[in-house]
Amino acid sequence: QSEQQALTQDLQNEFQTRLNPIIDQVANEKGLHYVLSIADSGVVWVNTGLNISAEVMKRLDAAGKTK
């Protein structure tokens, strides 16, 4: 089980390494000062009018196709 946990952690770290530059790029283009992870932040309410998830995923997918 610890081997599985280590593999899961490695995959999560690899994903985060690929994801962070894309989030940074989109946030800078939109002039954002904060990007929160709803799952990790304890946010109680959010205006869904400014959700960059779809744009980030689109770019992440495109970046994966160029490798």
Side-chain angles (χ1 to χ4, degrees):
Q1 186 173 356
S2 66
E3 190 174 319
Q4 182 182 0
Q5 289 173 333
L7 177 59
T8 300
Q9 186 62 44
D10 288 346
L11 291 172
Q12 181 64 33
N13 290 341
E14 180 183 332
F15 177 74
Q16 205 62 47
T17 298
R18 291 177 46 225
L19 183 64
N20 285 341
I22 295 170
I23 293 173
D24 186 57
Q25 182 183 35
V26 173
N28 282 317
E29 288 173 7
K30 296 188 178 293
L32 304 179
H33 296 277
Y34 300 96
V35 175
L36 302 173
S37 167
I38 296 295
D40 300 327
S41 68
V43 171
V44 177
W45 179 87
V46 65
N47 179 340
T48 58
L50 183 60
N51 185 340
I52 64 170
S53 300
E55 181 67 25
V56 169
M57 294 308 297
K58 179 176 142 186
R59 292 186 191 195
L60 182 64
D61 288 344
K65 292 176 184 176
T66 61
K67 287 187 175 190

